[in-house]
Amino acid sequence: MISRFFKSTLIAAAVLSASVSSALSSSVSEWVIVQGGAVRLLRASEPNTDGLYRGGIEFRLEEGWHTYWRYPGEAGIPTEASFVNSVNIASAELMFPAPKAYSDGFSTSLIYSDKVVLPLLIKRMDDGRPAILNANLTFGICKDICIPGQAEVSLVFPAATMKDDVADKLVNDAFAQVPITQGDMPSLFPEIKITGEGKDRTVNISAKVSSKDKSPELFIEGPAGSYHGVPKLASVKKGRAHWTMSYIGLPEDVSDIELRLTLVTKDGAYEETQSVSVPQASASK
């Protein structure tokens, strides 16, 4: 059950924010209380010059509770959102800051705790008319046990807006935490190799990091339907970090596989997708 203290904290925060900005009520939705926390929608005061709005889904979690990244790791429920019932919305893209690895002694999950804003990039069909973004959220939320969570939140995007410094800061900070996509830039991974056969098949990855960075993190996402583990840091030496991960849970009987890699270092977080050759099983004698 959600604590009275947490409820009172949310109410106090809402009152304080409202006193800071008279337009806040139109920049954020009402909090939806869920077990272990609360969730709401927010948006920047004004659209970008290209007409796209920046917004976010904000989670506030009670002490000891956490929710999950888009890939939950070895245990958990991914955070997902559907926007199908929205009005005058052409598209809504959900983005994710890099998570933290969390081990309960049995498995390692990829989580957010305390609070997080998941950025949204929103395009209206008609910029001259108001739009309504309806988000149906599904997620896992955990403390001593893990339970599936669900929330429906809604926010109006008016044709005319007012400045809201509080909401703008929340949105801007959220986008600043999204991993940088390497795109056409040189890869940060000089080695990505799959070795072995059967249950001994292993993913080996090396990444360039700062010589002062002794604990970089790497998160791997396989194709849809994959259910694999979390890479284990094997070594960091002379500006190169090396991880290994069991191939179990990734597609079998394929000649190559696409892996989405998220690298978190002292210098920032980075993301790229790589196609990796998969060694084929030896022919039976």
Side-chain angles (χ1 to χ4, degrees):
M1 180 180 295
I2 191 166
S3 69
R4 292 181 179 178
F5 174 78
F6 188 71
K7 285 183 177 179
S8 63
T9 301
L10 288 177
I11 293 171
V15 172
L16 177 61
S17 297
S19 67
V20 173
S21 173
S22 61
L24 186 61
S25 61
S26 64
S27 298
V28 302
S29 71
E30 296 291 332
W31 286 105
V32 174
I33 303 298
V34 298
Q35 186 163 357
V39 61
R40 69 176 178 177
L41 278 174
L42 61 153
R43 64 165 177 80
S45 297
E46 299 174 350
N48 300 337
T49 54
D50 59 6
L52 294 176
Y53 256 109
R54 301 203 304 173
I57 298 171
E58 182 178 11
F59 285 86
R60 294 284 180 96
L61 302 166
E62 292 190 80
E63 184 177 356
W65 289 81
H66 63 259
T67 190
Y68 296 94
W69 193 41
R70 62 188 177 220
Y71 179 72
E74 296 172 351
I77 301 170
T79 297
E80 298 176 333
S82 170
F83 308 100
V84 294
N85 294 320
S86 299
V87 177
N88 193 30
I89 297 291
S91 64
E93 180 185 358
L94 181 62
M95 304 176 185
F96 291 83
K100 293 289 185 182
Y102 166 79
S103 176
D104 61 5
F106 299 96
S107 60
T108 299
S109 299
L110 307 178
I111 69 163
Y112 303 112
S113 57
D114 188 21
K115 59 184 177 181
V116 67
V117 177
L118 307 181
L120 283 169
L121 200 57
I122 302 140
K123 180 176 178 58
R124 293 176 293 182
M125 292 180 181
D126 182 348
D127 292 340
R129 294 191 299 113
I132 302 174
L133 184 69
N134 293 315
N136 191 330
L137 311 175
T138 57
F139 49 90
I141 192 160
C142 291
K143 189 178 182 182
D144 299 321
I145 60 171
C146 295
I147 58 174
Q150 190 274 336
E152 293 185 15
V153 284
S154 182
L155 184 62
V156 174
F157 288 66
T161 61
M162 296 177 64
K163 185 67 175 173
D164 184 345
D165 293 332
V166 177
D168 286 344
K169 179 171 173 37
L170 286 170
V171 171
N172 291 336
D173 287 351
F175 272 87
Q177 294 177 43
V178 174
I180 298 170
T181 302
Q182 286 299 99
D184 295 330
M185 297 175 64
S187 174
L188 295 171
F189 301 95
E191 179 192 40
I192 308 175
K193 190 175 182 180
I194 298 171
T195 60
E197 297 180 7
K199 293 182 179 179
D200 295 326
R201 196 178 276 171
T202 302
V203 183
N204 302 274
I205 297 181
S206 292
K208 300 173 184 177
V209 298
S210 167
S211 58
K212 297 180 180 180
D213 198 340
K214 303 303 180 184
S215 55
E217 292 186 288
L218 176 67
F219 308 116
I220 295 179
E221 298 165 84
S226 299
Y227 188 76
H228 52 83
V230 176
K232 291 180 172 57
L233 182 63
S235 64
V236 185
K237 187 177 181 180
K238 296 182 179 180
R240 181 171 292 197
H242 182 75
W243 291 264
T244 61
M245 186 185 80
S246 170
Y247 190 88
I248 294 173
L250 291 169
E252 299 286 347
D253 302 322
V254 293
S255 59
D256 56 78
I257 185 173
E258 278 204 345
L259 299 178
R260 189 176 185 181
L261 310 171
T262 300
L263 176 66
V264 184
T265 72
K266 288 184 178 295
D267 299 325
Y270 307 89
E271 179 183 295
E272 60 182 88
T273 299
Q274 293 285 348
S275 180
V276 187
S277 296
V278 180
Q280 301 303 296
S282 301
S284 300
K285 295 182 179 180

